[in-house]
Amino acid sequence: NAGVMQNPRHLVRRRGQEARLRCSPMKGHSHVYWYRQLPEEGLKFMVYLQKENIIDESGMPKERFSAEFPKEGPSILRIQQVVRGDSAAYFCASSPGHQPQHFGDGTRLSIL
Amino acid sequence: QQQVKQSPQSLIVQKGGIPIINCAYENTAFDYFPWYQQFPGKGPALLIAIRPDVSEKKEGRFTISFNKSAKQFSLHIMDSQPGDSATYFCAASKTSGSRLTFGEGTQLTVNP
């Protein structure tokens, strides 16, 4: 069974560019969650999606960040006009229902 | 608002020792408490989880103790090994709400 797949594993962007992070959930999982981890900190919830629906986006910054989970294809976390403070590890998790959540190995985003 | 407090921040034990990591939560609506293990460059991996209807749960060398009245729970690792050296995160969730609230993490080192 393939686990949660995230790509790219590492992403470097210059300030002002766009970053697109992709997440393919485990087979049979229809719930996807995105978390952000700053260095030496715990994970912070960003958004929870089911197919074609955003269920909870209370952890998402109000501007520049968006997420989608289309009917076909991976979930996408999109960050527009990146700034240095966006540098972090972004983790995706999936679950068949609400729990348990299984995590991918993350995308490390670096902003130059 | 920090809803899950984890301690200690770091912990060093000798091989065979029993490290104990503690977490306290504030939200009495939480009813699902998992522990995750994270190695450098990897995503968090689910170790063990407990619900408040039991006071203890064991899986292999890992045990969760849960004190509902004190709103505290802890992870014990029996017969710790150098391979257990990792960062451990506690988390909490409302089953119906799904989002995980994480503690700040404990960096465990098990010396040979």
Side-chain angles (χ1 to χ4, degrees), chain A residues 9 33 35 37 40-45 48 56 58-59 91 98-105 108, chain B residues 2 32 36 38 40-44 46 51 89 93-100 102-104 107:
Chain A
R9 291 296 314 278
Y33 317 79
Y35 294 83
Q37 185 176 36
E40 310 300 324
E41 292 189 12
L43 290 87
K44 306 293 185 195
F45 169 80
Y48 162 38
D56 179 0
S58 57
F91 290 95
H98 291 304
Q99 305 295 352
Q101 295 180 25
H102 296 273
F103 285 79
D105 282 337
R108 271 81 183 163
Chain B
Q2 177 66 27
Y32 174 74
Y36 284 85
Q38 186 178 30
K42 295 292 190 180
L46 179 65
R51 296 190 187 274
F89 292 97
S93 172
K94 292 182 280 186
T95 304
S96 61
S98 300
R99 57 185 292 176
L100 287 170
F102 281 86
E104 293 299 305
Q107 190 168 350

Side-chain angles (χ1 to χ4, degrees), chain B:
Chain B
Q1 182 186 2
Q2 177 66 27
Q3 292 192 43
V4 179
K5 294 184 180 178
Q6 183 172 344
S7 64
Q9 191 174 6
S10 62
L11 186 56
I12 300 173
V13 300
Q14 292 298 121
K15 179 182 172 183
I18 306 175
I20 300 172
I21 305 170
N22 301 297
C23 283
Y25 62 97
E26 300 169 3
N27 190 339
T28 54
F30 287 151
D31 61 0
Y32 174 74
F33 304 90
W35 285 89
Y36 284 85
Q37 177 190 58
Q38 186 178 30
F39 293 104
K42 295 292 190 180
L46 179 65
L47 267 180
I48 185 172
I50 197 168
R51 296 190 187 274
D53 51 345
V54 296
S55 60
E56 185 176 280
K57 183 174 181 181
K58 265 185 199 176
E59 282 186 9
R61 296 185 294 110
F62 300 95
T63 299
I64 299 181
S65 298
F66 186 82
N67 185 331
K68 188 175 180 179
S69 61
K71 293 188 288 184
Q72 294 175 349
F73 57 110
S74 59
L75 177 70
H76 297 60
I77 306 175
M78 309 302 288
D79 187 28
S80 58
Q81 302 295 314
D84 296 329
S85 298
T87 301
Y88 292 81
F89 292 97
C90 63
S93 172
K94 292 182 280 186
T95 304
S96 61
S98 300
R99 57 185 292 176
L100 287 170
T101 300
F102 281 86
E104 293 299 305
T106 296
Q107 190 168 350
L108 172 67
T109 302
V110 181
N111 289 324

Side-chain angles (χ1 to χ4, degrees), chain A residues 6 12 16 27 46 53 68-69 92 94:
Chain A
Q6 290 188 248
V12 179
K27 188 176 180 181
M46 299 181 74
N53 289 304
E68 62 177 10
F69 188 16
C92 169
S94 73

Side-chain angles (χ1 to χ4, degrees), chain A residues 8-105:
Chain A
R9 291 296 314 278
H10 301 274
L11 182 61
V12 179
R13 285 288 177 264
R14 295 188 181 281
R15 280 179 294 172
Q17 291 184 320
E18 178 180 286
R20 283 193 179 221
L21 288 60
R22 286 177 290 278
C23 169
S24 296
M26 288 178 69
K27 188 176 180 181
H29 288 193
S30 59
H31 299 238
V32 165
Y33 317 79
W34 287 92
Y35 294 83
R36 178 164 62 177
Q37 185 176 36
L38 295 170
E40 310 300 324
E41 292 189 12
L43 290 87
K44 306 293 185 195
F45 169 80
M46 299 181 74
V47 62
Y48 162 38
L49 311 102
Q50 293 180 25
K51 283 286 186 182
E52 300 186 277
N53 289 304
I54 297 175
I55 307 301
D56 179 0
E57 57 181 348
S58 57
M60 286 275 271
K62 293 285 185 275
E63 296 177 351
R64 302 188 298 107
F65 285 72
S66 62
E68 62 177 10
F69 188 16
K71 187 176 179 181
E72 301 291 337
S75 176
I76 306 286
L77 179 67
R78 183 182 177 205
I79 311 172
Q80 294 179 290
Q81 299 172 1
V82 297
V83 301
R84 288 248 170 88
D86 297 332
S87 295
Y90 292 82
F91 290 95
C92 169
S94 73
S95 69
H98 291 304
Q99 305 295 352
Q101 295 180 25
H102 296 273
F103 285 79
D105 282 337

